[in-house]
Structure formats: structure tokens, C-alpha cells
Amino acid sequence: MEENNDDENIDYCVPPSEVRSDGTVITSEGYVIDLLNCEHMSPDGELCMPVMVYRNDIRCEKDCPQCSATIADEKQIFLMDNGENCYPCADCNSWVWWEEDELWMYWLE
Ligand SMILES: [Zn+2]
């Protein structure tokens, strides 16, 4: 399926189903990779670093923008330094990127 590169591009080749709920993956060699410390390739080919992760909240319950599957409460959503959100969706088996309009923030007041 995926190409096996020997360089550092492993982070965005990780199958979403292998991302654990704490935002790490275990490689086939047994290394634990914290995706928060990895660069991620956006669909535009831009290398992004996560600035934070957050979890789906009951007040702003989100669905996957691509397949509409509910994002599980324990799953982490990455906020990237280009302002986009990224979520490894196991349902559609892809890293889904989207821009947040942040409307939900107004609901919290
Ligand atoms: Zn999905």
C-alpha cells in the first residue's frame, strides 16, 4: 500500500487506524512516535507542525468532514501551524484536513 521511505516522512504515511488515542503510533520496528513532534504534509504539500491537539467536545460535537463519521471522544484532533485542523479518520482511512471557521467558540460563552 504505502511506500516505505527510509527518510523522515513516516509521520504522514501512518495509517489513521494505527494512531492511538494519545496521538502516538508504534512503528513496525517498535518505536513510539509522538505525532505532535512530527511534521505533517497538508493536502497542499505544505509541511506543518501541530501546535496543539484537542479532543472532540460534547458541546461542539464534530463529524469527520469527509465521511461524516462521528469523531470519537478519545480521538485527538491536531491543530496545525497553518491554522488547519487534521484528524486521522479510521472510518475513511485518511488524514482529513479542514479549516475551522471557529464558530463553535461563540457557543461557549
Ligand atoms: Zn472520515
Side-chain angles (χ1 to χ4, degrees):
M1 276 178 43
E2 307 273 8
E3 281 187 274
N4 270 328
N5 295 330
D6 283 335
D7 55 23
E8 295 167 4
N9 294 339
I10 186 168
D11 46 343
Y12 49 83
C13 295
V14 172
S17 57
E18 292 182 14
V19 179
R20 304 187 298 170
S21 57
D22 61 355
T24 61
V25 294
I26 299 181
T27 69
S28 51
E29 293 85 20
Y31 296 110
V32 175
I33 296 178
D34 188 346
L35 294 174
L36 199 53
N37 296 323
C38 293
E39 289 181 316
H40 298 256
M41 182 77 81
S42 83
D44 299 332
E46 193 179 357
L47 277 178
C48 304
M49 287 291 291
V51 289
M52 59 170 278
V53 293
Y54 62 97
R55 290 168 199 271
N56 209 4
D57 192 286
I58 207 164
R59 288 168 298 188
C60 57
E61 198 157 288
K62 262 193 244 301
D63 298 332
C64 170
Q66 186 161 291
C67 70
S68 299
T70 303
I71 297 179
D73 291 346
E74 76 273 13
K75 290 292 179 65
Q76 290 184 330
I77 303 169
F78 295 85
L79 179 63
M80 300 299 184
D81 57 5
N82 69 347
E84 291 189 51
N85 296 263
C86 182
Y87 168 65
C89 180
D91 285 284
C92 54
N93 197 32
S94 59
W95 288 80
V96 182
W97 292 66
W98 74 96
E99 281 184 73
E100 193 64 67
D101 55 17
E102 295 191 12
L103 275 179
W104 59 271
M105 295 185 88
Y106 300 108
W107 304 347
L108 301 180
E109 55 184 42

